[in-house]
Amino acid sequence: MQFHHHGYVSTDPRVQPAAGVGIDRPAELPDTVDVLIVGTGPAGMIAAAQLSQFPGITTRIVERRGGRLAIGQADGIQARSVETFQAFGFAERIIAEAYRITEMAFWKPDPDDSSRIIRTARANDDPTGISEFPHLIVNQARVLDYFAEVMENSPTRMTPDYGFEFRSLTVADEGEYPVTVTLVHTTGELMGQERTVHARYVVGADGARSGVRQAIGCTMAGDQAFHAWGVMDVLAVTDFPDIRTKCAIQSGSGGNILLIPREGGYLFRMYVDLGEVSGDDNGAVRKTTIDEIIATANGILSPYTLDVKNVAWHSVYEVAHRLTDRFDDVLPDDVGTRTPRVFIAGDACHTHSAKAGQGMNVSMQDGFNLGWKLGYVLDGRSPESLLSTYSAERQVIAKNLIDFDKQWSTLMATKPEDLADPSELEDFYTRTAEFPAGFMTQYPPSMLIGDATHQDLATGFPVGKRFKSAPVIRVADGNSVQLGHHHRADGRWRLYAFADAGAPGERSALAEWAEWLQSSPDSPLVAHTPEGSDIDSIFDVKVVYQQAHSAIDIGQVPEAFLPATGPYSLTDYEKVYAANPEDDFFEQRGIDRAGAVVIVRPDQYVAGVLPLAATADLALFFRQILLPARVPVTP
Amino acid sequence: MQFHHHGYVSTDPRVQPAAGVGIDRPAELPDTVDVLIVGTGPAGMIAAAQLSQFPGITTRIVERRGGRLAIGQADGIQARSVETFQAFGFAERIIAEAYRITEMAFWKPDPDDSSRIIRTARANDDPTGISEFPHLIVNQARVLDYFAEVMENSPTRMTPDYGFEFRSLTVADEGEYPVTVTLVHTTGELMGQERTVHARYVVGADGARSGVRQAIGCTMAGDQAFHAWGVMDVLAVTDFPDIRTKCAIQSGSGGNILLIPREGGYLFRMYVDLGEVSGDDNGAVRKTTIDEIIATANGILSPYTLDVKNVAWHSVYEVAHRLTDRFDDVLPDDVGTRTPRVFIAGDACHTHSAKAGQGMNVSMQDGFNLGWKLGYVLDGRSPESLLSTYSAERQVIAKNLIDFDKQWSTLMATKPEDLADPSELEDFYTRTAEFPAGFMTQYPPSMLIGDATHQDLATGFPVGKRFKSAPVIRVADGNSVQLGHHHRADGRWRLYAFADAGAPGERSALAEWAEWLQSSPDSPLVAHTPEGSDIDSIFDVKVVYQQAHSAIDIGQVPEAFLPATGPYSLTDYEKVYAANPEDDFFEQRGIDRAGAVVIVRPDQYVAGVLPLAATADLALFFRQILLPARVPVTP
């Protein structure tokens, strides 16, 4: 965490100084906004938290409820989400209060007595060390609380606007605020009255029954049939021995339960399968009572019993596997001729079962993907065409999610005797672990993702996948740190320069690259950093040397890696790293000893791998994405 | 973190429900209190934070300043303090914002040109892995903020009472509130007016010039001469390469600097030695200006330069090595005939240089030692004689501190040519690392510390030293956790039962011990747990089995380790552990395979090691410390 460089910070350094629109932020929802986000679920809140880091942009997020979510809804947090929380600065706190999944148990009917269940397998949750972050369970309400805190501590001092329901919107062909949104007050004296807001952009993160989706004419395609679940968060006394372990439980009668232990050591959630529901059920299944759910659970758990002492929350819901045709308001025929003004994210785009614990996670990555892009366009850093990449990148991810969830939920509901192999379920769980952990996403080449021509220079950083951290030694203080954990969700691009063999002060490809980056008019730093801003305001440039940190003379390190920042032009010493001889980053991530440059997007995805000498390619890559921000210095 | 067992907690689980005196806590300082703490420094705040966990006790902490400390004072946080912060629940957050010391550099005059300094050595800060916690630097103000948060989130909802200066006190021989304290308002409309508070006990944590110390007639003995330091927290540009590393710097002119990099990546502190000051200096040295300090620093750093851009804080101070004769108001002749009513802690007891970074740390251990003892006596759990152990235990620790600091500060100020060995300084630093890390404290046998008769059963837990954690596997969820990190600063005693070879369900010494603990009228659980309280309210009993966690049938584990807690009598599953076959706790801590019981005090010190069969010794130990709380059940 870096602070004090604008002067001494006496209180919590997580609270940034108010700036821009945050200095005099109106408490009431204004009539015109840059971005209006509808819905304070995970997709909406992460987009808001990301946009809150842009002091020049007015973002408001409206919510139908009168206040924060108190209970219920999602609870599964994959490692990729924890990695994302780390970038937003609250991973260590949410880890401390969450339940951590380290293994999963599988219970099936006893072959000798199918009225009894027995444990048939235990699978390690992350057998291959996919991530340095844990797989967690914690109520969605707490995730939203932490994002709300990030927003409130940001320069823009954002807080959600509760008590507004979305009604309709229209998009004009022109005008500064082309989207006109009609909201309705849901609380207080104005309850029932309409309210109009004009926005440059609108994000519909308003759930499975999204009004924004409907307003822009997207269609949800997929299963006709619904599947029904009884879900309950309960405090209970039981003799079931794995009550604190994630379990898939199949009984001889065909019933099945997904058991999710919850934060705090006592609470757990059970998803009790209530079977397929036809389209003409008209919600009859929703009349299933909590007593019926508990009785069904007891039947499945036999010979064990569940004595429920307190029901914190329960719900019966039906869900179909469905996917929207597009994530924005640009009709297929108009792609390339206009750029989007309205977006949808999260459950508004994709609905599926809760069995793989994916919904909140994929939704957050929707919002993370969109947030910085809106920020860049509104801040004048990027052309509007950047916004078209959102639907292009996320729609296919949602499709993969639904395909995966179908496979997994079908497998979980299949009777043991109908499985091709008795261990099919646990084998699938272990074999596919990278997907539910959130790390299978790989964006294809686009204006934002380079091709894989130079992938061999950094085999551990597949282009299009998220940057996977590993430890390095910070030269200035000898601390072992995770290189990737310095990537905060501050909207900046990262350039990681991996040095060739020369030490600082020696002639090297790295030294030439650093010189070019610092001073060439073609350099993205020179071309795209606004006049008067700190040199690291758009690009955060770091170097990793091959030598041990004690062999690095920091006085010889190029200026590009020791930038002067803030009003006092203080040296930032946290951009210079060395491989740890005992755990060599170059080996860990397959970095060529001749060096490489790895480009990482603001949402942590690897956008490109280049040789140190390929400065023209680097310049070209950013000229597609970023507008010129400074009159190039005449050479 | 355990919660939800009293019903669902929707918001931050770190905020405990208000209870007892916290339900209707008066905002204004009341006329009578159980404990009055004078001074909101580290010693006072930790004692307050500990007492805030006792809902039945009214503790108030007064401070001369009108508000929180903003800047300056101490900044060194040894690993033992971070361990303590972990018990109070904020270690992960303070680690995230602090500077971490991993090595120390030593700079001395270049033998070829004594006008220049050169780096002569780098020493690893914790070469032997003394602790799983880091050595940190962070401003004292933040430490106090976190303790204030603990207090405010506690059942008693404590907050400091700012704007009261201590004037005097008297101790009566009798009465419910025998200590009468006179305070003076320092702010607001009542400024200058006196205020009287009657207290059962008073803690003077009011610094080196303690008024409470004076009021109880303690004398400070030690050096006559003072040593003067110029200290500054600054933002600067420099070519000194180790500016982000802790350094001891000696120049050829005899000047020396202790350089402490600070939190946030930019700020650093320098202690610039201003030499010995005679007693009749009358504070002349305090007229040294910041410009003079900076000039002296530049002289010492030559050939490097320091361009100070911003001075966050600076001070010139003189300090002598001095120690109080006692830590409470019981005169030597009265020991054994009366118990103390007034205590002093922290700088009020011991003054010394800042060079070893010990002051705040030892002060916090003073307060941690005292806090739970006051809680136990006021709560009626322990006899008043418990309070006499505070002075007995802490006075000798303060003496050791002063002896160590004298050695270290003398060494640091010694000219290189006067050292017996050129590497004497760095050798001393490495050799004595356990002391400054805070782990040399070993309390001698007393009513609170058993003898070492059975030390061979658990060689890794020396009786009298703090319980050193190591990883185990929690059986219920397969999580790898640090056994010791479950010890929260909640005032409870810990009993760790290390099993003999038998698995749960088999006859074993452990099973017999558990049966005795659960049901014998002699058992401390039975004898000392108040009627109507949860069975784990005084004793937190945990078991560690030798088998792998997957081999433990939790249904066979004795009830003593699976207690029913809270209003719903839910099972607490977080007391049953297994050794990790890949990192065996029994081997790590030298536990006998025949099992052992390790008794740990509320302040984390090992009070005894016993065989599982020595139930009579265990019962006897607690009968000395705890009063009977429940009429024994007739067998």
Side-chain angles (χ1 to χ4, degrees), chain B residues 499-519:
Chain B
D500 49 337
E506 297 172 13
R507 270 187 72 94
S508 67
L510 178 84
E512 283 178 35
W513 185 83
E515 175 60 26
W516 173 83
L517 191 76
Q518 182 76 5
S519 58

Side-chain angles (χ1 to χ4, degrees), chain B residues 190-215:
Chain B
L190 300 175
M191 191 162 72
Q193 290 191 27
E194 289 195 348
R195 173 68 201 279
T196 303
V197 176
H198 302 276
R200 293 185 206 268
Y201 296 100
V202 168
V203 180
D206 50 343
R209 294 184 183 81
S210 169
V212 176
R213 182 184 68 216
Q214 202 178 357

Side-chain angles (χ1 to χ4, degrees), chain A residues 281-495:
Chain A
D281 174 65
N282 281 327
V285 73
R286 271 179 257 153
K287 300 199 180 90
T288 310
T289 66
I290 179 68
D291 290 338
E292 289 169 317
I293 298 169
I294 293 170
T296 305
N298 266 293
I300 294 168
L301 286 173
S302 173
Y304 304 104
T305 60
L306 198 64
D307 180 8
V308 173
K309 300 289 190 178
N310 180 263
V311 179
W313 176 78
H314 79 286
S315 176
V316 174
Y317 69 99
E318 309 138 84
V319 72
H321 287 97
R322 293 191 186 166
L323 174 63
T324 180
D325 55 329
R326 52 190 158 82
F327 278 46
D328 63 33
D329 65 331
V330 179
L331 297 172
D333 287 351
D334 295 337
V335 170
T337 66
R338 61 168 286 244
T339 54
R341 284 287 170 182
V342 182
F343 308 85
I344 52 174
D347 287 355
C349 307
H350 35 78
T351 64
H352 47 85
S353 92
K355 287 258 162 145
Q358 293 298 295
M360 169 156 56
N361 301 282
V362 176
S363 296
M364 286 192 285
Q365 294 305 316
D366 287 348
F368 199 17
N369 184 295
L370 179 58
W372 70 271
K373 293 174 182 175
L374 282 168
Y376 269 58
V377 170
L378 284 162
D379 210 35
R381 300 182 197 173
S382 291
E384 289 184 344
S385 58
L386 182 66
L387 298 175
S388 300
T389 64
Y390 168 65
S391 185
E393 290 189 332
R394 296 305 298 174
Q395 214 261 359
V396 64
I397 302 302
K399 182 166 184 321
N400 296 343
L401 162 65
I402 286 169
D403 292 345
F404 177 85
D405 185 74
K406 266 189 188 176
Q407 266 193 287
W408 176 239
S409 59
T410 303
L411 260 181
M412 282 186 73
T414 304
K415 287 189 187 174
E417 59 268 31
D418 297 338
L419 291 173
D421 183 309
S423 65
E424 199 176 341
L425 190 58
E426 51 268 32
D427 290 350
F428 183 86
Y429 184 77
T430 304
R431 194 174 67 242
T432 62
E434 193 181 354
F435 190 94
F439 297 117
M440 284 284 277
T441 295
Q442 185 163 19
Y443 295 130
S446 71
M447 72 185 278
L448 277 176
I449 297 288
D451 61 35
T453 311
H454 300 290
Q455 185 67 72
D456 58 315
L457 298 181
T459 55
F461 293 118
V463 176
K465 293 188 101 170
R466 78 84 178 70
F467 182 86
K468 183 178 179 178
S469 185
V472 286
I473 305 292
R474 190 158 54 206
V475 171
D477 59 14
N479 273 220
S480 174
V481 296
Q482 283 278 352
L483 184 60
H485 296 198
H486 223 282
H487 183 137
R488 314 312 304 222
D490 53 15
R492 291 189 293 169
W493 284 82
R494 265 70 193 180
L495 298 178

Side-chain angles (χ1 to χ4, degrees), chain A residues 444-604:
Chain A
S446 71
M447 72 185 278
L448 277 176
I449 297 288
D451 61 35
T453 311
H454 300 290
Q455 185 67 72
D456 58 315
L457 298 181
T459 55
F461 293 118
V463 176
K465 293 188 101 170
R466 78 84 178 70
F467 182 86
K468 183 178 179 178
S469 185
V472 286
I473 305 292
R474 190 158 54 206
V475 171
D477 59 14
N479 273 220
S480 174
V481 296
Q482 283 278 352
L483 184 60
H485 296 198
H486 223 282
H487 183 137
R488 314 312 304 222
D490 53 15
R492 291 189 293 169
W493 284 82
R494 265 70 193 180
L495 298 178
Y496 294 97
F498 294 95
D500 50 334
E506 296 171 13
R507 270 186 72 94
S508 67
L510 178 84
E512 284 178 34
W513 184 84
E515 176 60 27
W516 173 83
L517 191 76
Q518 182 76 6
S519 57
S520 166
D522 291 335
S523 153
L525 247 74
V526 176
H528 304 295
T529 305
E531 201 77 59
S533 297
D534 276 342
I535 192 65
D536 68 345
S537 60
I538 307 293
F539 296 96
D540 177 19
V541 184
K542 293 182 159 58
V543 64
V544 183
Y545 287 99
Q546 298 184 29
Q547 290 81 0
H549 82 283
S550 54
I552 307 284
D553 178 356
I554 208 154
Q556 299 294 324
V557 169
E559 200 186 329
F561 308 124
L562 289 165
T565 56
Y568 304 113
S569 293
L570 303 174
T571 306
D572 182 345
Y573 287 97
E574 305 205 357
K575 295 177 187 291
V576 184
Y577 298 87
N580 182 346
E582 288 162 30
D583 184 14
D584 189 333
F585 195 98
F586 285 72
E587 279 176 34
Q588 284 275 351
R589 291 292 173 270
I591 312 287
D592 195 291
R593 296 285 168 186
V597 175
V598 176
I599 309 167
V600 179
R601 301 170 16 160
D603 55 3
Q604 305 185 304

Side-chain angles (χ1 to χ4, degrees), chain B residues 113-126:
Chain B
D113 175 358
S114 72
S115 73
R116 305 166 55 90
I117 55 168
I118 53 166
R119 188 197 299 119
T120 57
R122 261 191 235 256
N124 186 328
D125 191 64
D126 181 7

